[in-house]
Amino acid sequence: MPAYATGPADEFLEEMSALPRGTTAAEVAQHLLSHFGTGPLSTGDRVPPERALAEKLGVGRSAVREALAALELLGLVEVRPGAGTYVRGTTSDLLPKTLTWGMLLGDNDTRQLLEVRSALEVESARLAAKRAEERDLGLLRDSIESMREALPDLEKVIPLDYRFHVVLADGCRNDLAADMLRTCRTLLSIWLDRALRSEADAVESLGEHEMILRAVERHDVEAAEQAMRAHMRTATKRLTTQM
């Protein structure tokens, strides 16, 4: 019997079947996405734990973790620390195609997407410095502290890095901009296996996140913009070296 309560999560797990050997995190995300909204899980329901999904699908837990991180960036699931992952919304017919397009992006398209992502991230930081509330700041602090505690385990740090940007985007109080940013980051996370390749990368990224947070805490719009631009330069450099 699974450790979590019986119900929709069990039924959802029963619908899953083993995936082919070598299945990527992107393909796991698309597989899970294809079952959201058409199976037993609905908004507010808990998704089966990573371990149970990994065993059922026959993939590594890291692939499941990355897949769930991508779905969180799309706004389809919500990760609640200590409580699990929950369905946040239902999918449309276009979302599976969006993920497929992401996997088919060529180098030139990826570079253009990186430019769009950078512009959105900078504007998100500017708006968050103006509009972020104390709850947003608390979540940003929690994300940074969780990243610090997770070092040097990159598998734990990477989704926390993503989460910082998700919280920052929500703090800008512009739903359209936040949704566009989630989509850009999701497409990039699917095309590229890892944003951080070493502990040194993670430490550098953590410091950059702290600079952004300090500026947002002070409601210093210009400093928030500069800090995010600096972060985007190094983050983009890390990503493009893998292309």
Coordinates of all heavy atoms in Angstrom, one line a residue, residues 177-229:
A177 N 2.7 38.4 -17.7 CA 4.1 38.4 -17.7 C 4.6 37.1 -17.0 O 5.6 36.5 -17.4 CB 4.7 39.6 -17.1
A178 N 4.0 36.8 -15.8 CA 4.4 35.6 -15.1 C 4.2 34.4 -15.9 O 5.0 33.5 -15.9 CB 3.7 35.6 -13.7
D179 N 3.1 34.3 -16.6 CA 2.8 33.1 -17.4 C 3.7 33.0 -18.5 O 4.2 31.9 -18.9 CB 1.3 33.1 -17.9 CG 0.3 32.9 -16.8 OD1 0.7 32.4 -15.7 OD2 -0.9 33.2 -17.0
M180 N 4.1 34.1 -19.2 CA 5.0 34.0 -20.3 C 6.4 33.6 -19.8 O 7.1 32.8 -20.5 CB 5.1 35.4 -21.0 CG 3.8 35.8 -21.7 SD 3.9 37.6 -22.3 CE 5.3 37.4 -23.5
L181 N 6.8 34.1 -18.7 CA 8.1 33.7 -18.1 C 8.1 32.2 -17.7 O 9.1 31.5 -18.0 CB 8.4 34.6 -16.9 CG 9.8 34.5 -16.3 CD1 10.8 34.7 -17.3 CD2 9.9 35.5 -15.2
R182 N 7.0 31.7 -17.2 CA 6.9 30.3 -16.8 C 7.1 29.5 -18.1 O 7.8 28.5 -18.1 CB 5.6 30.0 -16.2 CG 5.5 30.3 -14.7 CD 4.2 29.7 -14.1 NE 4.2 29.9 -12.7 CZ 3.6 30.9 -12.1 NH1 3.1 31.9 -12.8 NH2 3.6 30.9 -10.7
T183 N 6.4 29.9 -19.2 CA 6.5 29.1 -20.4 C 7.9 29.1 -21.0 O 8.5 28.1 -21.4 CB 5.5 29.7 -21.5 OG1 4.2 29.6 -21.0 CG2 5.6 28.9 -22.8
C184 N 8.6 30.3 -21.0 CA 10.0 30.4 -21.5 C 10.9 29.5 -20.7 O 11.7 28.7 -21.3 CB 10.5 31.8 -21.4 SG 9.8 33.0 -22.7
R185 N 10.8 29.6 -19.4 CA 11.7 28.8 -18.5 C 11.4 27.3 -18.7 O 12.3 26.5 -18.6 CB 11.6 29.2 -17.1 CG 12.1 30.6 -16.8 CD 12.1 31.0 -15.4 NE 12.8 30.1 -14.5 CZ 14.1 30.1 -14.4 NH1 14.8 31.1 -14.9 NH2 14.8 29.3 -13.6
T186 N 10.1 26.9 -18.9 CA 9.8 25.5 -19.0 C 10.4 25.0 -20.3 O 11.0 23.9 -20.4 CB 8.3 25.4 -19.1 OG1 7.7 25.8 -17.8 CG2 7.9 23.9 -19.3
L187 N 10.3 25.7 -21.4 CA 10.8 25.3 -22.7 C 12.3 25.1 -22.6 O 12.9 24.2 -23.1 CB 10.5 26.3 -23.8 CG 9.0 26.4 -24.2 CD1 8.7 27.4 -25.2 CD2 8.4 25.0 -24.6
L188 N 13.0 26.1 -21.9 CA 14.4 26.0 -21.7 C 14.8 24.8 -20.8 O 15.8 24.1 -21.1 CB 15.0 27.3 -21.2 CG 15.0 28.5 -22.1 CD1 15.3 29.7 -21.4 CD2 16.0 28.2 -23.3
S189 N 14.0 24.5 -19.8 CA 14.4 23.5 -18.9 C 14.2 22.1 -19.6 O 14.9 21.1 -19.2 CB 13.5 23.5 -17.6 OG 12.2 23.2 -17.9
I190 N 13.3 22.0 -20.5 CA 13.1 20.8 -21.3 C 14.2 20.5 -22.3 O 14.7 19.4 -22.4 CB 11.7 20.8 -22.0 CG1 10.6 20.7 -20.9 CG2 11.6 19.7 -23.0 CD1 9.3 20.9 -21.5
W191 N 14.7 21.6 -22.9 CA 15.7 21.5 -23.9 C 17.1 21.2 -23.3 O 17.9 20.4 -23.8 CB 15.8 22.7 -24.8 CG 16.9 22.7 -25.8 CD1 18.0 23.5 -25.9 CD2 16.9 21.9 -27.0 NE1 18.7 23.3 -27.0 CE2 18.1 22.3 -27.7 CE3 16.1 20.9 -27.5 CZ2 18.5 21.7 -28.9 CZ3 16.5 20.3 -28.7 CH2 17.6 20.7 -29.4
L192 N 17.4 21.8 -22.2 CA 18.7 21.7 -21.5 C 18.5 20.9 -20.3 O 17.6 21.1 -19.4 CB 19.2 23.1 -21.2 CG 19.4 24.0 -22.4 CD1 19.7 25.4 -21.9 CD2 20.5 23.5 -23.3
D193 N 19.4 19.8 -20.2 CA 19.2 18.9 -19.0 C 19.5 19.6 -17.7 O 18.8 19.3 -16.7 CB 20.2 17.8 -19.2 CG 19.9 16.9 -20.3 OD1 18.7 16.8 -20.7 OD2 20.8 16.2 -20.8
R194 N 20.5 20.4 -17.6 CA 20.9 21.1 -16.3 C 21.3 22.5 -16.5 O 22.0 22.8 -17.5 CB 22.0 20.3 -15.7 CG 21.7 19.0 -15.1 CD 21.1 19.2 -13.7 NE 21.0 17.9 -13.0 CZ 20.1 17.0 -13.1 NH1 19.1 17.2 -13.9 NH2 20.1 15.9 -12.3
A195 N 20.8 23.4 -15.6 CA 21.2 24.8 -15.7 C 22.5 25.0 -14.9 O 23.3 25.9 -15.1 CB 20.1 25.7 -15.1
L196 N 22.7 24.1 -13.9 CA 23.9 24.2 -13.0 C 24.7 22.9 -13.1 O 24.1 21.8 -12.9 CB 23.5 24.4 -11.6 CG 22.6 25.7 -11.3 CD1 22.2 25.7 -9.9 CD2 23.4 27.0 -11.7
R197 N 26.0 23.0 -13.4 CA 26.8 21.8 -13.7 C 27.7 21.5 -12.5 O 28.3 20.4 -12.5 CB 27.5 22.0 -15.0 CG 26.7 21.9 -16.2 CD 26.2 20.5 -16.5 NE 25.4 20.4 -17.7 CZ 25.0 19.3 -18.2 NH1 25.2 18.1 -17.6 NH2 24.2 19.3 -19.3
S198 N 27.9 22.4 -11.6 CA 28.9 22.2 -10.6 C 28.5 22.9 -9.3 O 27.6 23.8 -9.4 CB 30.3 22.6 -11.0 OG 30.3 24.1 -11.2
E199 N 29.1 22.6 -8.2 CA 28.8 23.3 -7.0 C 29.2 24.7 -7.1 O 28.6 25.6 -6.6 CB 29.6 22.6 -5.8 CG 29.3 23.3 -4.5 CD 30.1 22.6 -3.3 OE1 30.7 21.6 -3.6 OE2 30.0 23.1 -2.2
A200 N 30.3 25.0 -7.8 CA 30.8 26.4 -8.0 C 29.7 27.2 -8.7 O 29.4 28.4 -8.4 CB 32.1 26.4 -8.8
D201 N 29.1 26.6 -9.7 CA 28.0 27.3 -10.4 C 26.8 27.6 -9.5 O 26.3 28.7 -9.5 CB 27.4 26.4 -11.6 CG 28.3 26.3 -12.8 OD1 29.2 27.2 -12.9 OD2 28.1 25.4 -13.6
A202 N 26.5 26.6 -8.6 CA 25.4 26.8 -7.7 C 25.7 27.9 -6.7 O 24.8 28.7 -6.3 CB 25.1 25.4 -7.0
V203 N 26.9 27.9 -6.2 CA 27.3 28.9 -5.2 C 27.2 30.3 -5.9 O 26.8 31.3 -5.3 CB 28.7 28.7 -4.7 CG1 29.2 29.8 -3.8 CG2 28.7 27.4 -3.8
E204 N 27.7 30.4 -7.1 CA 27.7 31.7 -7.8 C 26.2 32.1 -8.0 O 25.9 33.3 -7.8 CB 28.4 31.6 -9.2 CG 28.4 32.9 -10.0 CD 29.1 32.7 -11.3 OE1 29.0 31.6 -11.9 OE2 29.7 33.7 -11.8
S205 N 25.4 31.2 -8.4 CA 24.0 31.5 -8.7 C 23.3 32.0 -7.4 O 22.5 32.9 -7.4 CB 23.3 30.3 -9.3 OG 21.9 30.6 -9.5
L206 N 23.6 31.3 -6.3 CA 23.0 31.6 -5.0 C 23.4 33.1 -4.6 O 22.5 33.8 -4.2 CB 23.5 30.7 -3.9 CG 23.0 31.0 -2.5 CD1 21.5 30.9 -2.4 CD2 23.7 29.9 -1.5
G207 N 24.6 33.5 -4.8 CA 25.0 34.8 -4.5 C 24.3 35.8 -5.4 O 23.9 36.9 -4.9
E208 N 24.0 35.5 -6.6 CA 23.3 36.4 -7.5 C 21.8 36.5 -7.1 O 21.3 37.6 -7.1 CB 23.4 35.9 -8.9 CG 24.8 36.0 -9.5 CD 25.0 35.1 -10.8 OE1 24.0 34.4 -11.2 OE2 26.1 35.1 -11.3
H209 N 21.2 35.4 -6.6 CA 19.9 35.5 -6.1 C 19.8 36.3 -4.9 O 18.8 37.1 -4.7 CB 19.4 34.0 -5.8 CG 19.0 33.2 -7.0 ND1 20.0 32.5 -7.7 CD2 17.8 33.0 -7.6 CE1 19.3 31.9 -8.7 NE2 18.1 32.2 -8.7
E210 N 20.8 36.2 -4.0 CA 20.8 37.1 -2.8 C 20.8 38.6 -3.1 O 20.2 39.4 -2.5 CB 21.9 36.7 -1.9 CG 21.8 35.3 -1.3 CD 23.0 34.8 -0.5 OE1 24.1 35.3 -0.9 OE2 22.8 34.1 0.5
M211 N 21.6 38.9 -4.2 CA 21.7 40.3 -4.6 C 20.3 40.8 -5.1 O 19.9 41.9 -4.8 CB 22.7 40.5 -5.7 CG 24.2 40.3 -5.2 SD 24.8 41.6 -4.2 CE 24.9 42.9 -5.4
I212 N 19.6 40.0 -5.8 CA 18.3 40.3 -6.3 C 17.3 40.5 -5.2 O 16.6 41.5 -5.1 CB 17.8 39.2 -7.3 CG1 18.7 39.1 -8.5 CG2 16.3 39.5 -7.7 CD1 18.5 37.9 -9.4
L213 N 17.4 39.6 -4.2 CA 16.5 39.6 -3.1 C 16.7 40.9 -2.3 O 15.8 41.6 -1.9 CB 16.7 38.4 -2.2 CG 15.9 38.5 -0.8 CD1 14.4 38.6 -1.1 CD2 16.2 37.2 0.0
R214 N 18.0 41.3 -2.0 CA 18.3 42.5 -1.2 C 17.7 43.7 -1.9 O 17.1 44.6 -1.2 CB 19.8 42.6 -1.1 CG 20.5 41.5 -0.4 CD 20.3 41.5 1.1 NE 19.1 40.7 1.5 CZ 19.1 39.4 1.6 NH1 20.2 38.7 1.4 NH2 18.0 38.8 2.0
A215 N 17.8 43.8 -3.2 CA 17.3 44.9 -4.0 C 15.8 45.0 -3.9 O 15.2 46.0 -3.7 CB 17.7 44.9 -5.4
V216 N 15.1 43.8 -4.0 CA 13.7 43.8 -3.9 C 13.2 44.1 -2.5 O 12.2 44.8 -2.4 CB 13.1 42.4 -4.4 CG1 11.6 42.2 -4.2 CG2 13.5 42.1 -5.8
E217 N 13.9 43.6 -1.5 CA 13.5 44.0 -0.1 C 13.6 45.5 0.1 O 12.7 46.0 0.8 CB 14.5 43.3 0.8 CG 14.3 41.8 1.0 CD 15.3 41.2 1.9 OE1 16.5 41.6 1.9 OE2 14.9 40.2 2.7
R218 N 14.5 46.2 -0.6 CA 14.7 47.6 -0.4 C 13.7 48.4 -1.3 O 13.7 49.6 -1.3 CB 16.1 48.1 -0.7 CG 17.2 47.5 0.2 CD 18.5 48.2 0.0 NE 18.9 48.3 -1.3 CZ 19.7 47.4 -2.0 NH1 20.1 46.3 -1.3 NH2 20.1 47.6 -3.2
H219 N 13.0 47.6 -2.2 CA 12.2 48.2 -3.2 C 13.0 49.2 -4.1 O 12.5 50.2 -4.5 CB 11.0 49.0 -2.6 CG 10.1 48.1 -1.7 ND1 9.2 47.1 -2.3 CD2 9.9 47.9 -0.4 CE1 8.6 46.5 -1.4 NE2 9.0 46.9 -0.2
D220 N 14.2 48.8 -4.3 CA 15.1 49.5 -5.2 C 15.0 49.0 -6.6 O 15.6 48.0 -7.0 CB 16.5 49.4 -4.6 CG 17.5 50.3 -5.3 OD1 17.3 50.6 -6.5 OD2 18.5 50.7 -4.7
V221 N 14.2 49.7 -7.4 CA 13.9 49.2 -8.8 C 15.2 49.1 -9.6 O 15.4 48.1 -10.3 CB 12.9 50.1 -9.4 CG1 12.6 49.7 -10.9 CG2 11.6 50.1 -8.7
E222 N 16.0 50.1 -9.6 CA 17.2 50.1 -10.5 C 18.2 49.0 -10.0 O 18.8 48.3 -10.9 CB 17.9 51.5 -10.4 CG 17.0 52.6 -11.0 CD 16.5 52.3 -12.4 OE1 17.3 51.8 -13.2 OE2 15.3 52.5 -12.7
A223 N 18.4 48.9 -8.7 CA 19.3 47.8 -8.2 C 18.8 46.4 -8.6 O 19.5 45.5 -8.9 CB 19.5 48.0 -6.7
A224 N 17.4 46.2 -8.5 CA 16.8 44.9 -8.8 C 17.1 44.6 -10.3 O 17.4 43.5 -10.7 CB 15.4 44.9 -8.5
E225 N 16.9 45.7 -11.2 CA 17.2 45.5 -12.6 C 18.6 45.1 -12.8 O 18.9 44.1 -13.6 CB 16.8 46.7 -13.4 CG 17.2 46.6 -14.8 CD 16.9 47.9 -15.6 OE1 16.3 48.9 -15.0 OE2 17.2 48.0 -16.8
Q226 N 19.6 45.8 -12.2 CA 21.0 45.6 -12.4 C 21.4 44.2 -11.9 O 22.1 43.5 -12.6 CB 21.8 46.6 -11.7 CG 21.7 48.0 -12.4 CD 22.4 49.1 -11.6 OE1 23.1 48.8 -10.7 NE2 22.1 50.4 -11.9
A227 N 20.8 43.8 -10.8 CA 21.2 42.5 -10.2 C 20.7 41.4 -11.1 O 21.4 40.4 -11.3 CB 20.6 42.4 -8.8
M228 N 19.5 41.5 -11.6 CA 18.9 40.5 -12.5 C 19.7 40.5 -13.8 O 19.9 39.4 -14.4 CB 17.4 40.7 -12.7 CG 16.8 39.6 -13.6 SD 16.9 37.9 -12.9 CE 15.6 38.0 -11.7
R229 N 20.0 41.6 -14.4 CA 20.8 41.6 -15.6 C 22.1 40.9 -15.4 O 22.5 40.1 -16.3 CB 21.1 43.0 -16.1 CG 19.9 43.8 -16.7 CD 20.3 45.1 -17.3 NE 19.2 45.8 -17.8 CZ 18.5 45.6 -18.9 NH1 18.9 44.6 -19.7 NH2 17.4 46.3 -19.2

